Amino acid sequence: MEQLKTIGRELAMGSQGGFGQSKEFLELVKSIGEARSKAEEDRIVLHEIETLKRRISEPDIPKRKMKEFIIRLVYIEMLGHDASFGYIHAVKMTHDDTLLLKRTGYLAVTLFLNDDHDLIILIVNTIQKDLKSDNYLIVCAALNAVCRLINDETIPAVLPQVVDLLNHQKEAVRKKAIMALHRFYHKSPSSVSHLFSNFRKRLCDNDPGVMGATLCPLFDLITVDVNTYKDLVLSFVSILKQVAERRLPKGYDYHQMPAPFIQIRLLKILALLGSGDKLASEKMYTVVGDIFRKCDSTSNIGNAVLYECICCVSSIYPNPKLLEAAAEVISRFLKSDSHNLKYMGIDALGRLIKISPEIAEQHQLAVIDCLEDPDDTLKRKTFELLYKMTKSSNVEVIVDRMIDYMISINDNHYKTYIASRCVELAEQFAPSNHWFIQTMNKVFEHAGDLVNVKVAHNLMRLIAEGFGEDDDAADSQLRSSAVESYLRIIGEPKLPSVFLQVICWVFGEYGTADGKYSASYITGKLCDVAEAYSNDETVKAYAVTALMKIYAFEIASGRKVDMLPECQSLVEELSASHSTDLQQRAYELQAVVSLDAHAVEIIMPLDASCEDIEIDKNLSFLNSYVQQSLENGAQPYIPESERSGTLDISNFRSQDQHEASMHGLKFEAYELPKAPVTSRIPPASVAPSAELVPVPEPSYSRETHQVASVPSISDAGSTEPRLKLDGVRRVVWGKPTYSSPTSSTSNASQSTSNGVTQVDSAANVNSKARKTHDSRKPEAEITPEKQKLAASLFGGPSKTEKRPTSASHKVTKASSHAAEKSQAPKAAVVSNQATLEKINHQPPPDLLDLGEPTVTSSAPSVDPFKQLEGLLDTTQVTSTVNHGAVGATEAPDIMALYVGTPAGGQSSSAENSLPSNSYDINLTSELSNLTSGTTNAGATLPTQFTKGPNPKDALEKDALVRQMGVTPSSQNPNLFSDLLG
């Protein structure tokens, strides 16, 4: 009687709402479906959330009502709202013994939770218990939850039960167990590495569903290690043959195709196993040919299987009959009206063209039609095909088409991709120098700054090295053509920065090389570029360096250099620039102009951008200078590691960095307060003749930059602590690091005949269906324009020709330059070891002793400000301090620091790798080397332009204040900033 009442209530509820749900829930679904705006929908859902929060927390809720609440929570989550308040109730429902409620709970938690949620730990025990249940439906529900919720930490808890289920009597359980192990393999491969043999066993399962599920983990394993599974080739071929012969139940058919998804997976596996293996491939020829012959091409799923067959044929060892069958299928794809089939045909043609390039010539008109198709995706795929088909006979047509398409699109990402492809093809197959330069100009002009910087570097390297032939006339013609084309383009507005860098570099290297254009004309153009793009420091840096090269080449050739007024104003402006890089380049230009022809020719040889730099790490060219200084009374050089008690300006910077780091949060315990540390610079008024207190190096780790120092004369003959510029980085241009463009080699056509294959001729392949299918499409009219374009693309020689790379180019030229350079002094790029007088070290004085200072006769004290005064004038002699006479030494002019030393700037990274700067290494080092033999010890390089604060006036004021008894550091705290400019 009670059972009849329960059935009656269920029927009544079903008549009210259907599917056992209440009328209230159905009204909710209906109201959301009829909502006219997102705001109205959100209002309905938020009202439902408030209702569920109130009703789900009520005590003694019937299980059927709780089940409906959980489903309503799932519906709320599907609409994008938060229902986390009900997650725990879904977890509790998984513990219920009723099958319907348990499955509802598992469904909800798999939708609510992820594998790293905090509530996962509450359902692990429930999953373990349900995996051992006698009801296979409960086991399947638990396995579904395992695939979604088990993470790396909980895999060991359920792995034994899942492995036992591989032998379950129900095929659905075995299939889900395979899927769970596959999930474990994705999460933690090492946890199931000992279970790979189980996949081999399940491959022979009696149920096709279990076998099909096993193909997925096997495909992943074969992708990682092919050789381990070579013995399964016959098994996979046998399974594929049975599937193709329709031996599987009808339930696995899809659109009258026998298990097409199993066929596709098997073809993917066979493509991996047969790649590069002739013996394994021979076992596959027959079954793949049968699929080509029997597969129905009138449905999408049949075309998908045919496409996978083409991919398999292109991967395994080539077979002529299979290639013919694949070509026929590709022809049907390309002739179809469907864009999807055309896309598949273009992609498949791109795969086969690697094996047999002549296949593309059979479908040239179809490729042209795809190239002119309005579908952008199909057009891009066609360009990829043309890229693979490019050779020297059709490169002009293909690259021009690519550039036209690049101009028409707005997608910056794909525009960058097309530009790189155009550059690569132009470098490999350029028919002439003039066409190459014009093509590169178009790419830079229309792609702009989207062009990769490496492309610009490769272009400059290619112009410098030529095209790999030992013909200097051809190389000279290439450079002259580049200069002429860039002179025409330079007047156009808004040129890309990368393109301007290339133009400036070419002007500097080869602007006056052929004598067609004068130096004043080229320098005027460069000044115009620097003025027009005044906001781009990189372009201005390239322009100044190009000016320096042109003037250097003019001086080396014995011609008089007349600097234009605009060039002089540009150099004056850059000498006071905030950019230290531009300052250094301006000072280098001034220094180069003031040198003689012989020095300039050695420093900046003509057309030597591709030569290697000889580095003398021992600085042997300074041996005579050092020996002469020692004979004149200078003291030997003291290594930095052996110095102590010397106050270094870099210590101030290190102290500032240390103090800045002390402001961060500390998590250590507080320390006891320490006594205050005395000033690092002793006041002159307290001990006017006391020695400098030795300052120990800070104990914390800091980054130090060891850079090349300039071997100027100002480093010699100093006996006192002096101004150091150790922290100032020098600009060093390294050797060009270009990766030579890889010359893509064409894949030769390989054709082998195999007697084992039993592929019938193409005329027997579904003749009736194909005839009716082809007869419906009329023949398209071929226009003369298409015929001409096809002749340009496909009419050339079939054999792919490529230009040789320029990696080994200019061997004879490099050897000749090397012979000339052997007669000249070697260049130096490492830090020089300038001589300093040895300082006798003594222990620091006691700061607490306020008596008379102890006078020693062995080591006279040193006043650092007297040393700084000595830097002002080369004729000034250091005064005697602390009752001891210091030998008079000649201090160099401080302006030599500005002439010979970089101002701490760092050159742009783009130009550091250019081949033109390979001979610009440590330019001022060469200047000091070449002038050391002809100038006096206190002489400095002549400069034409000086700008900025006068350090001499500042130091004189500080010396005057110090003599009056006032501490200089207190009156002028910016002393060191004045010294550094």
Side-chain angles (χ1 to χ4, degrees):
M1 193 63 176
E2 293 294 330
Q3 293 179 354
L4 292 177
K5 291 181 180 180
T6 303
I7 295 174
R9 285 196 299 268
E10 292 178 356
L11 291 175
M13 186 175 295
S15 63
Q16 292 177 1
F19 302 104
Q21 306 301 331
S22 65
K23 186 176 181 180
E24 182 183 358
F25 175 65
L26 296 180
E27 289 293 334
L28 170 66
V29 176
K30 182 180 179 181
S31 60
I32 291 177
E34 294 176 352
R36 297 183 178 181
S37 64
K38 186 67 170 63
E40 183 180 355
E41 177 185 315
D42 293 342
R43 181 180 55 80
I44 297 172
V45 173
L46 291 176
H47 180 266
E48 177 68 14
I49 289 174
E50 295 299 327
T51 303
L52 289 177
K53 282 183 179 179
R54 183 181 66 256
R55 299 183 62 179
I56 204 170
S57 59
E58 296 176 357
D60 300 332
I61 301 177
K63 293 182 178 180
R64 183 178 295 275
K65 202 66 176 176
M66 180 60 72
K67 171 176 167 289
E68 181 184 329
F69 290 160
I70 296 297
I71 294 176
R72 289 161 76 170
L73 289 175
V74 172
Y75 189 59
I76 290 173
E77 285 268 336
M78 290 170 57
L79 294 174
H81 294 266
D82 181 33
S84 57
F85 62 90
Y87 289 176
I88 187 62
H89 299 282
V91 173
K92 290 180 181 179
M93 188 166 288
T94 60
H95 303 161
D96 199 284
D97 295 332
T98 306
L99 175 61
L100 184 59
L101 297 180
K102 183 181 287 291
R103 295 183 67 180
T104 304
Y106 274 129
L107 174 63
V109 295
T110 54
L111 296 176
F112 288 157
L113 310 180
N114 48 34
D115 56 3
D116 59 348
H117 199 277
D118 296 337
L119 295 178
I120 294 296
I121 194 65
L122 300 179
I123 63 174
V124 173
N125 290 335
T126 305
I127 291 176
Q128 288 178 325
K129 182 186 69 173
D130 291 340
L131 289 177
K132 300 178 181 178
S133 175
D134 295 334
N135 190 337
Y136 80 97
L137 295 178
I138 294 179
V139 176
C140 290
L143 286 173
N144 289 337
V146 165
C147 293
R148 294 293 302 271
L149 302 178
I150 297 301
N151 51 31
D152 298 350
E153 298 176 356
T154 52
I155 284 177
V158 297
L159 183 60
Q161 291 90 338
V162 174
V163 174
D164 293 340
L165 293 176
L166 291 175
N167 299 317
H168 199 274
Q169 60 181 354
K170 288 291 185 177
E171 60 275 2
V173 176
R174 298 197 301 271
K175 178 180 177 180
K176 291 183 180 297
I178 290 292
M179 296 170 63
L181 291 178
H182 191 197
R183 176 69 172 177
F184 294 165
Y185 174 75
H186 284 165
K187 284 288 184 180
S188 176
S190 58
S191 63
V192 294
S193 58
H194 60 288
L195 301 174
F196 292 164
S197 59
N198 290 275
F199 296 138
R200 290 174 173 264
K201 295 178 182 178
R202 292 302 101 195
L203 188 62
C204 303
D205 196 283
N206 294 329
D207 184 72
V210 180
M211 179 270 299
T214 310
L215 295 177
C216 296
L218 283 176
F219 175 77
D220 292 343
L221 294 174
I222 293 172
T223 303
V224 176
D225 185 9
V226 177
N227 296 327
T228 305
Y229 300 91
K230 288 283 188 179
D231 56 331
L232 294 178
V233 172
L234 289 177
S235 300
F236 290 127
V237 170
S238 176
I239 295 173
L240 181 58
K241 185 178 180 180
Q242 295 180 47
V243 174
E245 293 176 353
R246 298 180 180 271
R247 296 187 182 181
L248 269 64
K250 289 290 185 180
Y252 291 93
D253 289 357
Y254 180 77
H255 287 271
Q256 300 180 356
M257 279 292 297
F261 302 104
I262 293 179
Q263 291 189 53
I264 291 174
R265 183 64 62 179
L266 286 170
L267 289 170
K268 288 180 179 290
I269 293 175
L270 292 178
L272 293 175
L273 294 174
S275 179
D277 190 342
K278 183 177 180 179
L279 296 178
S281 299
E282 290 175 351
K283 302 174 183 177
M284 311 173 189
Y285 291 157
T286 304
V287 64
V288 175
D290 292 341
I291 295 176
F292 270 125
R293 186 173 60 254
K294 298 179 180 180
C295 191
D296 183 17
S297 61
T298 59
S299 61
N300 287 334
I301 191 64
N303 291 324
V305 175
L306 289 174
Y307 170 77
E308 203 59 49
C309 288
I310 297 174
C311 296
C312 181
V313 169
S314 63
S315 298
I316 64 177
Y317 195 82
N319 179 267
K321 294 184 178 180
L322 292 180
L323 290 176
E324 291 178 4
E328 184 181 353
V329 174
I330 291 175
S331 177
R332 294 203 304 270
F333 286 167
L334 294 176
K335 293 177 182 178
S336 173
D337 295 332
S338 172
H339 283 175
N340 294 332
L341 293 182
K342 286 184 178 180
Y343 185 93
M344 290 170 55
I346 292 293
D347 185 78
L349 187 60
R351 294 174 182 270
L352 284 188
I353 203 173
K354 301 177 182 178
I355 304 174
S356 180
E358 63 273 5
I359 293 179
E361 298 180 5
Q362 304 173 8
H363 310 290
Q364 46 188 319
L365 294 179
V367 172
I368 297 300
D369 291 337
C370 294
L371 194 61
E372 298 175 353
D373 196 280
D375 189 344
D376 198 58
T377 305
L378 181 59
K379 188 179 296 185
R380 293 185 180 185
K381 179 59 69 173
T382 308
F383 276 121
E384 293 181 9
L385 173 64
L386 294 179
Y387 171 78
K388 299 175 183 177
M389 295 168 47
T390 305
K391 48 192 175 183
S392 59
S393 60
N394 60 7
V395 63
E396 298 182 37
V397 179
I398 292 177
V399 172
D400 289 344
R401 285 273 180 165
M402 286 185 173
I403 293 177
D404 293 340
Y405 178 68
M406 179 183 67
I407 297 173
S408 64
I409 61 176
N410 296 323
D411 186 358
N412 289 338
H413 175 74
Y414 196 71
K415 184 178 288 189
T416 304
Y417 174 78
I418 289 290
S420 62
R421 288 299 178 94
C422 291
V423 171
E424 185 178 350
L425 293 178
E427 290 179 355
Q428 294 179 3
F429 306 104
S432 64
N433 299 340
H434 180 73
W435 180 87
F436 173 76
I437 296 297
Q438 296 299 325
T439 301
M440 299 306 297
N441 293 347
K442 290 180 182 178
V443 171
F444 278 109
E445 185 176 357
H446 296 292
D449 292 328
L450 297 176
V451 181
N452 195 338
V453 178
K454 294 182 180 179
V455 175
H457 293 171
N458 291 338
L459 174 60
M460 289 182 276
R461 176 189 52 76
L462 205 60
I463 295 175
E465 296 181 353
F467 279 107
E469 302 172 357
D470 296 332
D471 187 1
D472 292 339
D475 295 343
S476 178
Q477 182 183 0
L478 168 66
R479 294 157 187 167
S480 300
S481 176
V483 172
E484 292 177 1
S485 62
Y486 292 155
L487 285 174
R488 290 193 301 268
I489 296 175
I490 197 67
E492 297 183 5
K494 296 182 180 180
L495 291 175
S497 177
V498 179
F499 194 23
L500 288 170
Q501 296 171 22
V502 176
I503 293 175
C504 292
W505 183 86
V506 172
F507 283 171
E509 289 285 341
Y510 310 108
T512 59
D514 57 354
K516 186 176 180 179
Y517 301 100
S518 63
S520 60
Y521 178 74
I522 299 297
T523 54
K525 290 292 185 180
L526 290 171
C527 292
D528 294 341
V529 171
E531 182 180 357
Y533 299 89
S534 58
N535 296 329
D536 194 335
E537 293 186 358
T538 304
V539 173
K540 290 196 294 185
Y542 272 77
V544 174
T545 303
L547 288 173
M548 181 174 60
K549 294 175 186 176
I550 293 176
Y551 288 137
F553 297 155
E554 291 293 307
I555 295 174
S557 61
R559 291 187 289 269
K560 184 180 179 181
V561 174
D562 294 329
M563 187 175 293
L564 298 176
E566 54 265 29
C567 293
Q568 294 179 1
S569 61
L570 175 64
V571 174
E572 290 179 358
E573 177 187 353
L574 298 183
S575 299
S577 174
H578 294 289
S579 172
T580 53
D581 176 39
L582 295 178
Q583 279 189 15
Q584 177 180 339
R585 294 173 189 267
Y587 285 126
E588 288 177 354
L589 175 58
Q590 299 171 20
V592 168
V593 172
S594 63
L595 295 177
D596 56 4
H598 178 69
V600 172
E601 185 178 3
I602 296 176
I603 294 173
M604 302 184 70
L606 181 64
D607 192 18
S609 58
C610 298
E611 294 185 6
D612 295 331
I613 300 299
E614 296 181 5
I615 300 176
D616 184 7
K617 295 185 178 180
N618 296 324
L619 303 179
S620 59
F621 65 92
L622 288 175
N623 290 340
S624 60
Y625 173 75
V626 173
Q627 185 63 30
Q628 182 181 359
S629 300
L630 292 175
E631 292 175 357
N632 293 336
Q635 295 296 326
Y637 172 76
I638 300 176
E640 188 176 0
S641 59
E642 300 179 7
R643 305 173 196 169
S644 62
T646 303
L647 190 62
D648 195 348
I649 292 178
S650 62
N651 291 338
F652 288 93
R653 185 181 65 173
S654 302
Q655 182 181 8
D656 294 339
Q657 294 176 356
H658 178 62
E659 291 177 356
S661 64
M662 298 295 291
H663 292 296
L665 294 177
K666 292 185 177 180
F667 300 95
E668 298 85 3
Y670 288 105
E671 298 179 356
L672 294 176
K674 297 181 180 180
V677 183
T678 58
S679 174
R680 305 180 76 152
I681 304 178
S685 61
V686 178
S689 61
E691 289 186 356
L692 292 176
V693 179
V695 181
E697 290 293 330
S699 59
Y700 57 92
S701 60
R702 61 188 179 91
E703 181 181 0
T704 59
H705 301 279
Q706 297 182 356
V707 295
S709 62
V710 181
S712 64
I713 308 172
S714 62
D715 292 339
S718 178
T719 61
E720 299 174 352
R722 57 188 179 79
L723 183 64
K724 291 188 176 182
L725 297 177
D726 293 341
V728 182
R729 295 195 59 184
R730 313 281 166 80
V731 178
V732 178
W733 291 295
K735 295 169 64 177
T737 56
Y738 302 110
S739 57
S740 299
T742 56
S743 299
S744 58
T745 58
S746 61
N747 298 307
S749 173
Q750 301 177 0
S751 59
T752 57
S753 59
N754 196 319
V756 182
T757 62
Q758 300 177 3
V759 183
D760 298 338
S761 63
N764 298 328
V765 184
N766 254 347
S767 59
K768 292 184 179 181
R770 292 172 186 173
K771 287 179 180 178
T772 56
H773 178 70
D774 296 339
S775 61
R776 290 178 295 179
K777 183 175 180 180
E779 291 293 334
E781 183 180 356
I782 302 175
T783 61
E785 290 78 6
K786 290 185 178 181
Q787 292 180 354
K788 184 177 180 180
L789 181 59
S792 301
L793 289 173
F794 306 93
S798 59
K799 185 177 180 181
T800 305
E801 301 175 3
K802 295 190 177 181
R803 300 185 65 89
T805 58
S806 56
S808 60
H809 177 47
K810 302 185 81 170
V811 178
T812 57
K813 183 183 293 188
S815 62
S816 63
H817 283 299
E820 295 176 4
K821 291 176 67 177
S822 62
Q823 305 298 330
K826 297 183 178 179
V829 295
V830 294
S831 60
N832 72 314
Q833 301 178 352
T835 59
L836 294 173
E837 293 187 3
K838 184 180 296 183
I839 302 174
N840 297 324
H841 309 297
Q842 65 177 9
D846 189 359
L847 296 179
L848 299 178
D849 187 5
L850 302 178
E852 291 295 329
T854 304
V855 180
T856 60
S857 59
S858 58
S861 63
V862 179
D863 191 345
F865 296 95
K866 286 293 184 180
Q867 169 64 19
L868 295 177
E869 294 172 17
L871 293 176
L872 296 176
D873 193 359
T874 57
T875 61
Q876 185 178 350
V877 181
T878 57
S879 61
T880 305
V881 290
N882 196 14
H883 311 290
V886 180
T889 59
E890 235 180 2
D893 192 348
I894 194 171
M895 294 310 297
L897 298 173
Y898 292 91
V899 175
T901 308
Q906 186 175 1
S907 65
S908 60
S909 60
E911 190 174 359
N912 287 349
S913 58
L914 295 182
S916 64
N917 293 327
S918 58
Y919 52 80
D920 291 346
I921 294 179
N922 224 350
L923 178 61
T924 51
S925 300
E926 286 287 359
L927 299 179
S928 300
N929 176 29
L930 293 170
T931 55
S932 60
T934 58
T935 58
N936 294 328
T940 59
L941 292 175
T943 59
Q944 294 183 358
F945 310 100
T946 57
K947 201 165 185 179
N950 190 351
K952 183 174 180 178
D953 296 340
L955 292 178
E956 287 179 351
K957 293 179 182 178
D958 292 327
L960 180 61
V961 173
R962 185 187 57 77
Q963 293 175 4
M964 296 172 62
V966 185
T967 304
S969 60
S970 63
Q971 292 295 326
N972 191 2
N974 296 325
L975 172 63
F976 295 103
S977 63
D978 290 338
L979 290 176
L980 295 177

